Each structure stands twice: as C-alpha cells, then as structure tokens.
Amino acid sequence: NTASAQAQATSSSSPAMASFSAGMLQASIQPDTAIEQTLRNFLQSSGSQATGTQYRYAKADLNGDGAVDALVEMNWCDKSGCVWLVLQGKNGQFQQVGRLEGFSGGVMVAPSAHNGWYDLLVASTEQANTFLTLEHDGSSYPARPVASTQAQPDPNSLLELRFAGDNWLTMP
C-alpha cells in the first residue's frame, strides 16, 4: 500500500517538484551502462582501478525534475558504513553530484525537500526508530547524515531504497 504526498521545496528559488510516491525499491541486479560509465569516470579521476570494483544502485527521481537519478552504494565499507555516490540523471546519462559515507543498509527518500532535492534519511544505529537526515544545501548533500531537528516522519510516507544481501554488481 503506497501513500502519495506532494513534496514542497523549502527554497523559493526551486522549481515545482514532481509528485512524490512512497513505497519500496530494491537495488537493481542488472548492470546499467550509463551508471557504469559515470562510475568509471569517477574511479579513474580519483586514481582507482575501475575493473573489478563492486557496487549496487537504485534509481529514483531525487530532485523532482522528472528524470531518474541514482543512488549508488560502493563496496568500500568499514565499521562506520559504506561510500555512496549520488548521480543526477539527465538525457539518459548520469553525473556525480555527491559523495556520502558513514552508513549502510537502506536509504529512505522523504517527501520533504531542501533546495530542490528530496531529503534522504538513514536509520540511526544508536537510537531505535530514529532517522538521521541528509538535507541538500544547494550544492550537494552533506557527506554524513546528522540528527534531524524535524519530527520523525511516518514510515509509510517514505520511499525506501533497499540495499541488502550480496547482490553486488562488478565493473567489467
């Protein structure tokens, strides 16, 4: 049962955002050539080897522009979590617009938004039934989630991007 809510951007300079739909999306098990090209560019620019790098992704419109964006979890994890990349989609291509770290597991997309991008939420490892927030600052999401000053959202109002199990893809 999915709930729908119209997301409202908190910045008056943001264009109207597309309607928001709650629900759940599982990370894809199919490679995506446009995402892989963006990952290859990112890895090469940072001096890393692309071939053999493991990742997984889920696609959702994160900025309400009607184009599908992607959240990519890299298999670069330590005790604090994994490295994540936010990719903005446009015309079938992707551009890296953010790097996140310090969490693992599922990511929730909230119907609330800042600066034209939906807020991202991750479960707190320290307090049950509590979400930490990633709010877009106009340039990017912060690198790490922080405690929210807002009331905890109704879980039924969120879009869950589920990253679980061993369904990693490997760069060719």
Side-chain angles (χ1 to χ4, degrees):
N1 196 12
T2 61
S4 289
Q6 184 68 28
Q8 298 296 317
T10 58
S11 171
S12 60
S13 64
S14 296
M17 295 180 73
S19 72
F20 178 88
S21 295
M24 192 276 289
L25 293 173
Q26 184 72 34
S28 180
I29 58 171
Q30 298 297 320
D32 180 291
T33 55
I35 288 176
E36 286 189 348
Q37 184 58 51
T38 303
L39 293 179
R40 189 171 306 286
N41 293 343
F42 165 75
L43 293 164
Q44 289 173 345
S45 71
S46 63
S48 298
Q49 174 66 35
T51 302
T53 297
Q54 291 187 308
Y55 71 98
R56 51 188 172 190
Y57 70 91
K59 291 181 179 178
D61 184 3
L62 299 176
N63 60 1
D65 66 357
V68 177
D69 305 305
L71 186 62
V72 179
E73 180 182 22
M74 305 301 292
N75 193 7
W76 301 338
C77 306
D78 61 23
K79 63 183 179 190
S80 70
C82 300
V83 171
W84 301 73
L85 301 177
V86 179
L87 307 182
Q88 182 175 8
K90 186 174 185 178
N91 301 323
Q93 300 297 311
F94 292 95
Q95 176 182 353
Q96 181 200 344
V97 294
R99 178 186 167 129
L100 316 173
E101 55 189 48
F103 60 93
S104 58
V107 176
M108 305 290 189
V109 182
S112 58
H114 286 82
N115 298 296
W117 288 79
Y118 292 116
D119 296 341
L120 302 179
L121 307 174
V122 297
S124 171
T125 57
E126 298 175 10
Q127 190 171 355
N129 302 315
T130 303
F131 291 106
L132 301 177
T133 306
L134 294 145
E135 295 175 356
H136 203 279
D137 67 7
S139 298
S140 66
Y141 287 102
R144 293 184 174 270
V146 296
S148 178
T149 57
Q150 301 176 13
Q152 293 296 303
D154 174 359
N156 294 323
S157 72
L158 304 174
L159 170 61
E160 178 183 2
L161 305 180
R162 187 172 290 174
F163 295 83
D166 291 325
N167 59 334
W168 295 98
L169 298 167
T170 302
M171 293 280 289

